[in-house]
Each structure stands twice: as structure tokens, then as C-alpha cells.
Amino acid sequence: MLSVVNTDPAPVSSAARFARSGFAWVASVAVEVEGGRGWREAGELFDDLYAGTAGVLLACAEAHAHGLELGDLPLGARDRLLHLVEVAEHSDLDPPLPDGLFDGWAGLVVALQTWADVADDEPARTGATRAAHRLATRVLTTPLDPPGCTDIISGDAGILLALLPHRSAVATEAANHLADRLVSVAEPASPGVHWRMTPAYERLMPGFSHGTAGVAYALARASRRLDRPDLLDLAVQGADTIIAVGTTPTGWAVPLTIPPQPDRPPVNFGWCHGPAGTIRLFLALAELDPQPRWTAAIEGCLQALRDSRLPARLYPGYWDNLGRCCGTASVGRVLVDRYATTGDPALLAWVDVLAADVMDRAVTTPTGVAWSNTEHTVTPPDLPPEPGFMQGAAGIAAWLATVAAAHEPGQLRLVRRTFLPGWI
């Protein structure tokens, strides 16, 4: 069991204390499953990156990379994923998970590989290689689940990202195949191109999780790994489309959907649909294709986040989420990354405001702290705390570990040289 340590209220010690306490709670709600340990969301066992075992291991990798020791918690998650790899290799049945990055098999590849990199864990590295081989073989031989999906969450873009670190012939062939599929379904826009989540989906979602920003990001990253300038050219066209649709007379923010939906807000600000996710495309392009317009777009994303007035709850339903997908921690992670790159103390001060709000809204339990998101349309509005990466305690606690590291001169190098995937 992880211990909760009482320390002084300075930002570094508070963030570290809450991070340890959050992981203590995650450990306390684990369940024993075949091969290792698993986690439930809404009462259902998940092994994926979004809500389940793979996400817990990814959170452990992030925390470990930033100096937080977690006992045997990551090993329980790792062993469960290695068990799933073993079972899948010796079964003719359909896979126990779909194929996607956040909801399926590609997430196991990423979690195992990331943990292997930060912890120098050879069994995890071997498991990631085996899982990637299996995933690449499926890409080349079997219709993927779900069919025709392009996005980061479940589709070709996310699977492509999962395969890029793997250098085998089959992984490279599969990555090229996925990239070609994404190229083939790009739709012309003015200017540039865009992608639909699926061919039949009537609305465009330009943001990172389900739309053009995520697909363009994956193609930009693939362009270097696969030595394909054509993919970078297409990613640039996608970015130009996003800049055009996000530019308004009152500032910059990418629309949630095109056309808008009357029952949804016109814009969001988190990783999934807002500038906390979209900025990752512009950061990648600034590295791969340095141009002033990418720098301007990065600043536009940051200004949109400032203009959002987060974490103020301006009305019911506004900033009711604390998680890594669509909440405060998603923005906080971007700001820590930018601080690590630029050293701008104003960014770290902004991070501290967000971290203080998140810590203030923690739920204290006998085994540690957790976080409850709010749904203002239901009674009671506070949702049960969950342990997962994208909406729960593991992701929030991992981010708080990076906040603590950013305040420690000796640890900041760990932030700068993190092995974690750039899309989180």
C-alpha cells in the first residue's frame, strides 16, 4: 500500500503529496484479475488506455519519469497486460479488445512500451514488441474494429501512432498502410483538407480526439519515421484548415463541431476538442516544418485557454471536469510542457493556479484522494470517482507529479527528457 505523506503547503510538496495520495487510492480500488490487477469504471472492468489497466500503467510511467516511486502498483498493471498479450497469441478467438489507441489493443502497445522506456523493464519491452507485431499483422490482414474510423481515439490515426516507435518490417509496412488509408479519405476544404471521424458521420469535429487535428498530427509524426514528405505536406494542409475555422473576430478557438449543434457549446477547451489538444499539432509542425504561422497558432491556442478563464466555473457545466481528456488536467499538462520548453515563469504560475484548484476539489477517502467530475444535468451532480487515465485519478495524479517535478531544479530535466508520447 502506498503511504500518504503530510508535508508543507508549498506547490511542489502539495502536488507531490496529492500525486502519491491519488495513486494510493488507485491502488486501493484495484481488483485481482487473471495475470495481475485491473480497474473498473462504472462497475465494468476495462483494460484499455482511456479508463482501464493500460491507462493506469501509462499514468505510472509518467509519474515514474518525473520522480515518483509507486511500489508494486505498475507491476500489477504490467502483468495484466502481458497476460492479455500471451492469451491473444495462443487463441483463435476474436481479440479481447478492439484495435484502437484509447479503447483497444493499440493502447496496450503504447502503455507497455512507455513503461519499458521509463523503467527499463525488459518484460514490458518484449510484451510491447509482441503486441505491436500482432497489431501490425491485423492491420495488414483483417478489417479493423471499428471499420472506417480515422481518429486518434479508436481509428487509423491512433493505431498509426502506436506503431511508429516499432521498427520491424511488418510494423513499418502496417504504418505505411494506415497512412495511405488516411491520405485516401482526406476531403478537400477551403483552404486545405479535413477528415471525418467515419465516412458516414455528418458533422466534422476538427479537434484532436475525433478529427482533423489528430489525424494531421499522426501524419506529421509518421512523415519523419516513414521518410514520407507527402504526409507532412498533407498535415500542413490540415493545419491550415484548422487555423481558418478557428479564427474568429473575438479570438481563436477551434469549433466543437461543423456545423454546430444547438445542444452543445460552440467550443471546448480541453485535450479532446479544444486548444489543449489542437496545440499538439502546431507544436509538431513547428518542430518538423518551422514557420512563423505555427508559432502564431501555438500562441493562439494558449490565448484561447487564457480567454476561457479556467478554472472559473462561469455557469453550470463549465469546467466541471478535472481529467486529462476534457478537463483541467489536460490544460495543465500542456502548460507544464510549455514551461519545460520555454522556462517562462508565468506558465508555471498558471500551472500552480490550476493545480491548486484540482487539489482543492479532491475527494478524501480512507485510502487516499480521488476526484469527482460533475454533471450538472443529473442529481446528484457529483459523479463517482474513477481510477482511469483520461477521466480519473490516475491521469490527474500523474499530472500532479509533473507539477511537482517542474518546481524542482533537479527534476526539471526529467520533464524535458520525458519518454512519454507527445499526444498526451
Side-chain angles (χ1 to χ4, degrees):
M1 181 66 65
L2 301 173
S3 61
V4 181
V5 179
N6 292 318
T7 56
D8 66 78
V12 57
S13 57
S14 293
R17 174 167 55 91
F18 273 81
R20 285 192 294 270
S21 187
F23 277 110
W25 182 80
V26 171
S28 75
V29 298
V31 294
E32 297 300 321
V33 292
E34 289 186 64
R37 304 171 84 184
W39 283 266
R40 300 185 188 278
E41 182 171 290
E44 183 177 351
L45 181 68
F46 288 95
D47 287 303
D48 62 18
L49 202 61
Y50 196 94
T53 312
V56 170
L57 184 60
L58 185 65
C60 290
E62 183 172 21
H64 183 84
H66 296 95
L68 198 67
E69 294 301 325
L70 300 170
D72 63 357
L73 171 61
L75 299 183
R78 179 207 66 177
D79 290 348
R80 168 63 175 173
L81 300 185
L82 293 178
H83 170 76
L84 293 176
V85 173
E86 185 73 22
V87 168
E89 287 186 337
H90 296 89
S91 174
D92 294 328
L93 301 176
D94 289 336
L97 293 168
D99 299 295
L101 177 55
F102 280 90
D103 63 352
W105 198 258
L108 272 68
V109 175
V110 168
L112 286 168
Q113 185 64 54
T114 306
W115 175 253
D117 288 342
V118 302
D120 195 23
D121 185 320
E122 198 57 38
R125 183 171 290 110
T126 300
T129 300
R130 292 164 62 189
H133 180 86
R134 181 184 179 283
L135 179 63
T137 302
R138 277 185 57 78
V139 167
L140 296 171
T141 61
T142 307
L144 294 183
D145 177 19
C149 187
T150 64
D151 71 9
I152 287 282
I153 294 288
S154 304
D156 286 356
I159 298 169
L160 174 59
L161 286 173
L163 289 176
L164 288 180
H166 298 273
R167 301 286 177 151
S168 68
V170 67
T172 300
E173 183 181 0
N176 275 295
H177 181 71
L178 290 165
D180 289 341
R181 280 213 306 235
L182 292 170
V183 170
S184 71
V185 296
E187 298 179 12
S190 182
V193 298
H194 55 219
W195 285 266
R196 296 182 188 276
M197 181 173 64
T198 62
Y201 200 79
E202 65 173 315
R203 284 181 169 83
L204 292 162
M205 288 185 285
F208 198 79
S209 63
H210 292 302
T212 299
V215 175
Y217 175 88
L219 292 177
R221 287 299 180 202
S223 69
R224 173 176 286 179
R225 159 72 175 85
L226 302 176
D227 193 21
R228 288 187 54 175
D230 63 304
L231 301 182
L232 182 58
D233 291 344
L234 200 61
V236 166
Q237 293 180 54
D240 285 338
T241 297
I242 293 170
I243 290 173
V245 301
T247 303
T248 71
T250 58
W252 195 90
V254 65
L256 176 61
T257 63
I258 303 173
Q261 296 172 273
D263 60 338
R264 304 287 297 278
V267 298
N268 284 80
F269 295 95
W271 172 92
C272 48
H273 300 297
T278 305
I279 194 173
R280 300 184 185 284
L281 169 61
F282 300 134
L283 289 168
L285 291 178
E287 173 192 341
L288 298 168
D289 177 44
Q291 294 190 37
R293 71 183 193 272
W294 308 139
T295 303
I298 291 166
E299 289 307 312
C301 288
L302 293 174
Q303 189 58 49
L305 294 172
R306 293 185 189 97
D307 293 343
S308 76
R309 295 173 59 187
L310 69 99
R313 304 173 96 175
L314 302 180
Y315 53 81
Y318 192 83
W319 285 115
D320 281 348
N321 192 292
L322 302 173
R324 295 289 286 263
C325 184
C326 37
T328 307
S330 73
V331 178
R333 178 65 211 197
V334 167
L335 299 182
V336 171
D337 288 347
R338 292 304 293 154
Y339 171 67
T341 300
T342 67
D344 182 354
L347 289 170
L348 187 57
W350 189 2
V351 168
D352 289 343
V353 171
L354 301 187
D357 182 72
V358 168
M359 291 185 289
D360 187 58
R361 291 164 67 178
V363 177
T364 301
T365 81
T367 57
V369 299
W371 285 269
S372 174
N373 295 319
T374 302
E375 176 47 67
H376 72 286
T377 63
V378 302
T379 304
D382 290 335
L383 304 176
E386 302 289 359
F389 185 80
M390 293 300 278
Q391 294 286 11
I396 294 170
W399 168 60
L400 289 174
T402 73
V403 174
H407 279 276
E408 290 280 11
Q411 294 290 332
L412 186 56
R413 62 184 178 82
L414 294 174
V415 179
R416 290 199 178 107
R417 57 189 283 263
T418 177
F419 296 91
L420 290 166
W423 41 261
I424 67 165

